[in-house]
Amino acid sequence: MFEEPEWAEEAPVVADLGSVALRPRTTADSQIKGSKHRQLLATLRALEAASLPQQPPSLPGSDEEDEEEVVQRKKKLPKKVLFASTSPEVKKKRKKKRQKQGPPSSDSKEEEVERKKCHKGALLGNDFAAEEKRKRKCQKQDPSNPAQPLDNVDQTGSKAWNSSAANDSTKPSPETPCSNPPHTLSRKQWRNRQKNKRRQKNKFRLPQAPEQAPATAAAEETEVSPAPSPDSHGARAEALRARMAQRLDGARFRYLNEQLYSGPSSAAQRLFQEDPEAFLLYHRGFQSQVKKWPLQPVDRIARDLHQRPASLVVADFGCGDCRLASSIRNPVHCFDLASLDPRVTVCDMAQVPLEDESVDVAVFCLSLMGTNIRDFLEEANRVLKPGGLLKVAEVSSRFEDVRTFLGAVTKLGFKVISKDLTNSHFFLFDFQKTGPPRVGPKAQLSGLKLQPCLYKRR
């Protein structure tokens, strides 16, 4: 055997990405064949595979394995790479869609930044997994290849990738909870999760007053909502008590109103004598109903009396709170079933304490209640002077036939002077006394039966 010269030992072995420089051939080198030759070829192929990771090494008889590996790599490609390979038409459509959606808000920008960070971490993890799988496959394809050269190749070939991965790993901030998640979320799933978080956060937050400045909103988010004070509990209890009392008063008013329309005036007088507070409650409920009308009938009657002499004596049947007496200059006799004013004379309106033919004007303003309306009108005929004026204002819904009502009143000694049916809530009639009633007390006057004015529950 020949000995190798000294200069052969000093010749370096250079491994580059594209070529391999070997020492000069000698007689001893020409005799090295077999396993060493195959080992050098395998090392060369491994170096080429490491320098070109996009093109997997092709070995004879591995066409089927190459196809499978290509399919697997396509499946593992992230969505970002797929989007980059789309056609210009698809890009134009997506751009139009973004323009229709309008400029993104600050919340959507933050969501987009977090989504990119999560996707970047997932991409980094997928690339590491693909690199490890490629190493294992190269070792399986060439078991005779020693592990040391492959490790060196990986260290030299993927030096740039390791440095870029190290730089990328430092970019995500510690605030991102999903820097390297096992599975990436779609954009819709990520938005739904953020919405659920905001809803859970705002679930127990107190509503902000409109006059508060928006600068205090951020501070209120971090603060814990204060416990309700005893004053707020007391105010709520007081409001609830007031609502319950109002409902109870409404129910009692409807009951009293039904009793007044369904019985005679004598029974109503006994009811208010036994319970004086009931009349106050009824009057308060009655006024709350009438004040919703566009025009009060008592004001209309007072306006008509202002056009007549102030010396005329007026008798107000069912005066209530004496509003008519306070609105005109005439002397007024006030009669009602109970007293809300010192000027009121408490009595049954079918029997008032006045002499015959002693007044000039008799007024029934929403007071023809009860089942004995005929007694009220006969009493007005008794106290009126000949030619005296009878004014009647009543709810329009109570009249089934106005002509029949007017005919019944004329039989009691009156004639119709004027009638006003233009108002939507009440009718107004003026009668003049012509004499005593023309029918006996036992005669039936069906026109005087008016419908009861009942209020519905609300």
Side-chain angles (χ1 to χ4, degrees), residues 252-262 282 286 369 452-455:
R252 293 187 65 187
F253 166 73
R254 289 191 295 272
Y255 170 76
L256 293 173
N257 186 72
E258 185 176 356
Q259 294 297 318
L260 293 177
Y261 279 101
S262 59
Y282 172 80
F286 177 78
M369 306 171 69
C453 184
L454 303 179
Y455 298 94

Side-chain angles (χ1 to χ4, degrees), residues 315-374:
D316 189 2
F317 291 79
C319 61
D321 56 354
C322 300
R323 182 172 178 174
L324 179 63
S326 304
S327 302
I328 59 178
R329 297 170 295 174
N330 304 67
V332 181
H333 298 284
C334 302
F335 305 103
D336 213 327
L337 300 174
S339 176
L340 295 176
D341 191 276
R343 293 172 289 184
V344 178
T345 302
V346 178
C347 64
D348 184 358
M349 290 184 297
Q351 298 174 356
V352 295
L354 288 178
E355 297 181 358
D356 297 346
E357 300 180 356
S358 58
V359 298
D360 299 296
V361 181
V363 178
F364 288 89
C365 183
L366 305 179
S367 57
L368 290 179
M369 306 171 69
T371 57
N372 55 336
I373 296 177
R374 178 175 178 173

Side-chain angles (χ1 to χ4, degrees), residues 160-231:
W161 166 250
N162 290 335
S163 61
S164 62
N167 294 334
D168 293 340
S169 61
T170 59
K171 288 183 182 178
S173 61
E175 297 178 357
T176 57
C178 53
S179 62
N180 195 3
H183 299 287
T184 58
L185 297 175
S186 65
R187 189 172 185 179
K188 186 174 182 181
Q189 291 174 346
W190 189 86
R191 285 184 176 177
N192 291 339
R193 180 173 292 182
Q194 295 297 324
K195 286 181 182 179
N196 293 336
K197 288 182 180 178
R198 285 195 295 269
R199 289 173 184 170
Q200 197 69 18
K201 187 177 181 181
N202 300 333
K203 188 175 182 180
F204 302 102
R205 185 182 300 174
L206 294 176
Q208 183 180 3
E211 63 271 7
Q212 291 180 354
T216 61
E220 291 181 356
E221 290 179 0
T222 58
E223 295 179 358
V224 180
S225 58
S229 60
D231 296 339

Side-chain angles (χ1 to χ4, degrees), residues 87-100:
S87 62
E89 297 180 357
V90 176
K91 291 183 179 178
K92 289 181 180 179
K93 289 182 180 179
R94 289 175 183 170
K95 189 174 181 181
K96 291 181 180 179
K97 189 175 180 180
R98 292 194 200 101
Q99 292 177 356
K100 288 181 180 179

Side-chain angles (χ1 to χ4, degrees), residues 6-265:
E6 295 179 359
W7 59 270
E9 294 179 358
E10 297 177 358
V13 179
V14 181
D16 199 359
L17 297 178
S19 65
V20 177
L22 302 177
R23 60 185 180 179
R25 295 180 60 87
T26 61
T27 306
D29 293 334
S30 62
Q31 295 178 0
I32 297 173
K33 294 181 181 180
S35 62
K36 289 185 179 182
H37 183 68
R38 287 193 298 271
Q39 184 177 356
L40 289 174
L41 290 176
T43 305
L44 180 60
R45 289 172 181 169
L47 289 172
E48 291 178 355
S51 61
L52 301 175
Q54 293 83 359
Q55 298 178 358
S58 60
L59 296 177
S62 61
D63 295 338
E64 297 179 357
E65 295 178 359
D66 293 343
E67 293 179 359
E68 293 177 358
E69 188 174 355
V70 170
V71 173
Q72 291 179 359
R73 288 195 177 187
K74 285 185 178 179
K75 289 182 179 179
K76 292 179 181 179
L77 280 177
K79 293 184 178 180
K80 200 174 211 180
V81 179
L82 295 178
F83 290 161
S85 62
T86 53
S87 62
E89 297 180 357
V90 176
K91 291 183 179 178
K92 289 181 180 179
K93 289 182 180 179
R94 289 175 183 170
K95 189 174 181 181
K96 291 181 180 179
K97 189 175 180 180
R98 292 194 200 101
Q99 292 177 356
K100 288 181 180 179
Q101 290 178 355
S105 60
S106 60
D107 295 339
S108 63
K109 288 182 179 179
E110 294 177 359
E111 295 175 358
E112 187 68 20
V113 171
E114 292 183 4
R115 186 184 66 80
K116 286 182 179 180
K117 290 179 181 179
C118 295
H119 185 72
K120 194 170 186 180
L123 180 61
L124 183 60
N126 292 337
D127 290 338
F128 276 123
E131 186 69 20
E132 292 293 334
K133 189 172 181 181
R134 187 184 60 76
K135 289 180 183 180
R136 291 195 297 270
K137 192 166 185 180
C138 291
Q139 292 177 2
K140 288 180 181 180
Q141 288 177 358
D142 192 4
S144 62
N145 189 17
Q148 185 66 24
L150 287 176
D151 295 338
N152 294 335
V153 170
D154 292 337
Q155 291 177 3
T156 57
S158 59
K159 186 176 180 181
W161 166 250
N162 290 335
S163 61
S164 62
N167 294 334
D168 293 340
S169 61
T170 59
K171 288 183 182 178
S173 61
E175 297 178 357
T176 57
C178 53
S179 62
N180 195 3
H183 299 287
T184 58
L185 297 175
S186 65
R187 189 172 185 179
K188 186 174 182 181
Q189 291 174 346
W190 189 86
R191 285 184 176 177
N192 291 339
R193 180 173 292 182
Q194 295 297 324
K195 286 181 182 179
N196 293 336
K197 288 182 180 178
R198 285 195 295 269
R199 289 173 184 170
Q200 197 69 18
K201 187 177 181 181
N202 300 333
K203 188 175 182 180
F204 302 102
R205 185 182 300 174
L206 294 176
Q208 183 180 3
E211 63 271 7
Q212 291 180 354
T216 61
E220 291 181 356
E221 290 179 0
T222 58
E223 295 179 358
V224 180
S225 58
S229 60
D231 296 339
S232 62
H233 285 298
R236 291 180 182 177
E238 189 66 26
L240 180 61
R241 193 180 299 109
R243 287 198 300 270
M244 297 301 295
Q246 186 177 3
R247 291 182 180 180
L248 183 60
D249 291 346
R252 293 187 65 187
F253 166 73
R254 289 191 295 272
Y255 170 76
L256 293 173
N257 186 72
E258 185 176 356
Q259 294 297 318
L260 293 177
Y261 279 101
S262 59
S265 58

